[in-house]
Amino acid sequence: MTAPLAPEPTAADRRRWARYLVEERAEGTVYQRLAARRTGEERDILLRLADAERRHKQHWLDLLGEEPARLPRAGVRSRLLGWMAGRFGSIFVLALAQSAEARSPYDAEQYATPAMRADEKVHYEVVRGLAARGRRRLSGSFRAAVFGANDGLVSNLALVLGIGATGVSSGFVLFSGIAGLLAGALSMGAGEFVSVRSQRELLAATEANEDAAASAHDLDIDENELALVYRARGAEPEEALEKARRIVAAAQAGVRRTATGPIRTHGDVNEVVGSDWTAAISSFLLFASGAIIPVLPWIFGLQGAAAVIVALVLVGIALLSTGAMVGILSGGPPLRRALRQLAIGFGAAAITYLLGLLFGVGAV
């Protein structure tokens, strides 16, 4: 039984093919530019993705017969990705590319081959995996940055609005904002210093010690408690026994203990946790960078309602920006994350403003 013939392509079909052609070309450029900023395995993966996009581009070019004299422009998302990939090569590009790959137009395209449809689904998983690698590398520092800056934004906006609602002078509002900035930033820095220093001390206290293995040459190869050391460090009984026997045998044979690969539960404490001073200074600066924004209108001499409105606008833009970045990196809808961040921040500020009004009325 012969397969049914495909319908004669229309002018609309050819215009659609031309659009697919430029999109595949743009996506291939994104992967090539990202690959140029990577090394090793990630570079190889990105180059293979670019090769696949070239195959897809060639499919549409073959259907068209030749490249049209006039091609449509690639979509805004594809052009933005290409621009960012050439200049940043960051996790943001992969996160946006992941969202783009999630919406393949080929599922309902009769002129796309089954292999192309399968490729697009695989590409989504590949890009998601690469983005996940970047998210894991970025998660700790990004969480700290968003938390610190957002905490400064919301807490100091709530403070200046609450103080301002009591009816005090603009100078007192400015003083309160600066005091809130310094108090919050110092508190964040001190808290981070204590947290990291305590974690380093805890890890140092639990770091594996190889004194037991150093005495291995005096142990009985079959009857010894060295395996208990490895079991205490989390190894399975069979694995612990095997490692203990290997170390004892190596020690008795005069082989250097380092060649047997002793188990260590941790790397260098500084590598695992980081510097306490670096963490403290970073937290101080991140909080201060957010907390200064609500105070800017009063610093530049604005008063009353004008200062409040400008502060709300500035903080609103900052909250929307941090929320959108969280959405991009998490692979979620940036607008929803941005609006959520805005609602939480303004909600907290509204509560303190209402409290300030109540205290202001009570003080009259």
Side-chain angles (χ1 to χ4, degrees), residues 85-361:
R87 288 159 178 80
F88 305 111
S90 68
I91 176 59
F92 289 99
V93 180
L94 285 171
L96 288 170
Q98 175 187 336
S99 300
E101 292 286 3
R103 295 182 296 272
S104 172
Y106 295 160
D107 290 338
E109 175 56 63
Q110 61 178 329
Y111 290 98
T113 67
M116 291 171 66
R117 298 188 189 98
D119 281 349
E120 292 298 315
K121 290 179 171 59
V122 171
H123 289 182
Y124 170 71
E125 293 299 330
V126 172
V127 174
R128 185 170 67 169
L130 291 175
R133 288 186 182 187
R135 290 187 185 106
R136 284 192 292 270
R137 289 194 294 262
L138 190 64
S139 59
S141 58
F142 181 73
R143 182 201 63 80
V146 171
F147 173 74
N150 195 67
D151 194 17
L153 281 168
V154 175
S155 62
N156 230 26
L157 176 66
L159 176 64
V160 296
L161 290 189
I163 294 293
T166 63
V168 299
S169 66
S170 296
F172 191 83
V173 174
L174 175 59
F175 172 79
S176 300
I178 297 298
L181 183 156
L182 290 174
L186 288 170
S187 176
M188 288 284 290
E192 197 69 17
F193 179 88
V194 172
S195 174
V196 174
R197 174 61 65 88
S198 299
Q199 191 175 1
R200 287 179 61 188
E201 291 170 350
L202 178 63
L203 287 176
T206 57
E207 183 68 20
N209 185 294
E210 300 303 324
D211 289 344
S215 304
H217 61 278
D218 293 323
L219 294 175
D220 186 289
I221 195 167
D222 293 316
E223 298 294 335
N224 66 75
E225 285 73 41
L226 185 58
L228 298 180
V229 175
Y230 298 106
R231 290 180 63 182
R233 297 179 191 175
E236 294 296 325
E238 295 80 5
E239 179 190 5
L241 183 60
E242 175 60 29
K243 288 182 179 295
R245 285 176 172 169
R246 191 170 71 244
I247 286 178
V248 172
Q252 292 178 348
V255 179
R256 290 187 58 182
R257 181 166 50 88
T258 53
T260 65
I263 298 175
R264 298 192 64 86
T265 56
H266 302 292
D268 181 71
V269 171
N270 288 327
E271 292 179 2
V272 174
V273 183
S275 167
D276 41 18
W277 280 108
T278 300
I281 294 171
S282 298
S283 294
F284 179 94
L285 294 176
L286 287 168
F287 183 96
S289 68
I292 193 66
I293 293 177
V295 191
L296 287 176
W298 285 273
I299 290 178
F300 287 100
L302 295 180
Q303 300 179 9
V308 171
I309 291 172
V310 172
L312 288 172
V313 170
L314 293 175
V315 172
I317 293 172
L319 289 172
L320 289 171
S321 300
T322 57
M325 282 193 292
V326 170
I328 291 172
L329 285 176
S330 64
L335 180 59
R336 186 183 303 171
R337 300 292 193 277
L339 292 176
R340 182 182 66 184
Q341 202 95 328
L342 182 68
I344 293 172
F346 278 12
I351 293 172
T352 57
Y353 182 78
L354 292 175
L355 290 173
L357 287 177
L358 291 175
F359 281 110
V361 170

Side-chain angles (χ1 to χ4, degrees), residues 30-47:
V30 169
Y31 294 133
Q32 284 180 319
R33 289 178 177 175
L34 286 175
R37 307 177 71 90
R38 297 290 198 278
T39 58
E41 184 184 34
E42 288 191 15
R43 183 176 188 276
D44 182 60
I45 292 172
L46 289 165
L47 288 175

